[in-house]
Amino acid sequence: MGKLDLITIILIAANALISYKGFNDYSFFEKYKLHVGSINRGEQIRLVSSGFLHANTQHLLFNMLSLYFFADAVIASLGTVKFLIVYFVSLVLGSLLSVYFHKSEYHYSAVGASGAVSGIIYSAILLHPGMSLYMYFIPIPIPAYIFGVGYLLYSIYGMKNRLGNIGHDAHFGGAVGGYLITLILSPWLFSTNLLMVILLAIPILILFVLRKMGKM
């Protein structure tokens, strides 16, 4: 994926340090995780802070590897400031949709950078539809859009089965955030990459329909 950008290193380091603090400090984890009841009482910081906590090391590694694979492609096309806009808008929208989906569940909680990472994945694929990933355990290049769609399919599975203390709903919100913000920042994509714009809308629509049908 080329040279790792400084802002990507900073975000990965922040996620790792804050997550490991949460692994070893229960009160810290409880204070900053996404918790519907606490957010309803006005603790809005949790909408952002929960995006830097993770349920376990595996959860952290999965999100940070995904960020590593896609972040620099977005930075190269949009620049650091717009990249950060995509990252944090996706994070917050993912958190807000989690709260909305679980607004009647006072004790619902979740953590993870899933919303932000989903947004970056969708942004990168929109900007670079021909991008491929090279993973050490798979000897052939993988089209990035396959990874992106698979990431959301994992979200569907996680949302349906309530896997861990993980914000799987945030994958949906983050994907929507990254998709919309990238199209707003780069409207030329409608003429140059229209097929990918349509393709990436499909899993978002599927998630939305399943949610509305009460299947999730």
Side-chain angles (χ1 to χ4, degrees), residues 77-142:
S77 295
L78 299 182
T80 300
V81 173
K82 290 181 179 178
F83 164 80
L84 289 172
I85 291 172
V86 173
Y87 187 93
F88 282 100
V89 168
S90 299
L91 191 164
V92 172
L93 185 55
S95 295
L96 286 172
L97 283 183
S98 289
V99 172
Y100 174 74
F101 287 153
H102 299 278
K103 58 182 178 292
S104 61
E105 302 172 49
Y106 179 87
H107 295 292
Y108 177 82
S109 64
V111 293
S114 305
V117 173
S118 292
I120 294 301
I121 288 173
Y122 258 53
S123 180
I125 298 170
L126 281 170
L127 293 163
H128 301 277
M131 195 168 99
S132 294
L133 302 178
Y134 292 85
M135 300 183 182
Y136 70 91
F137 50 86
I138 300 177
I140 58 174
I142 302 171

Side-chain angles (χ1 to χ4, degrees), residues 8-142:
T8 307
I9 295 172
I10 291 172
L11 284 173
I12 291 174
N15 272 276
L17 290 172
I18 294 170
S19 292
Y20 274 100
K21 169 70 173 174
F23 295 160
N24 298 297
D25 187 336
Y26 179 79
S27 62
F28 178 85
F29 186 89
E30 289 295 306
K31 182 177 180 179
Y32 292 110
K33 71 181 182 181
L34 186 145
H35 181 264
V36 171
S38 299
I39 291 171
N40 287 341
R41 291 197 304 269
E43 296 180 27
Q44 309 302 327
I45 187 64
R46 292 174 183 260
L47 295 171
V48 175
S49 62
S50 60
F52 288 88
L53 291 168
H54 288 81
N56 50 51
T57 302
Q58 182 181 4
H59 183 210
L60 172 65
L61 287 175
F62 179 78
N63 275 333
M64 293 305 98
L65 278 173
S66 300
L67 180 61
Y68 165 77
F69 286 138
F70 290 93
D72 283 6
V74 179
I75 295 169
S77 295
L78 299 182
T80 300
V81 173
K82 290 181 179 178
F83 164 80
L84 289 172
I85 291 172
V86 173
Y87 187 93
F88 282 100
V89 168
S90 299
L91 191 164
V92 172
L93 185 55
S95 295
L96 286 172
L97 283 183
S98 289
V99 172
Y100 174 74
F101 287 153
H102 299 278
K103 58 182 178 292
S104 61
E105 302 172 49
Y106 179 87
H107 295 292
Y108 177 82
S109 64
V111 293
S114 305
V117 173
S118 292
I120 294 301
I121 288 173
Y122 258 53
S123 180
I125 298 170
L126 281 170
L127 293 163
H128 301 277
M131 195 168 99
S132 294
L133 302 178
Y134 292 85
M135 300 183 182
Y136 70 91
F137 50 86
I138 300 177
I140 58 174
I142 302 171

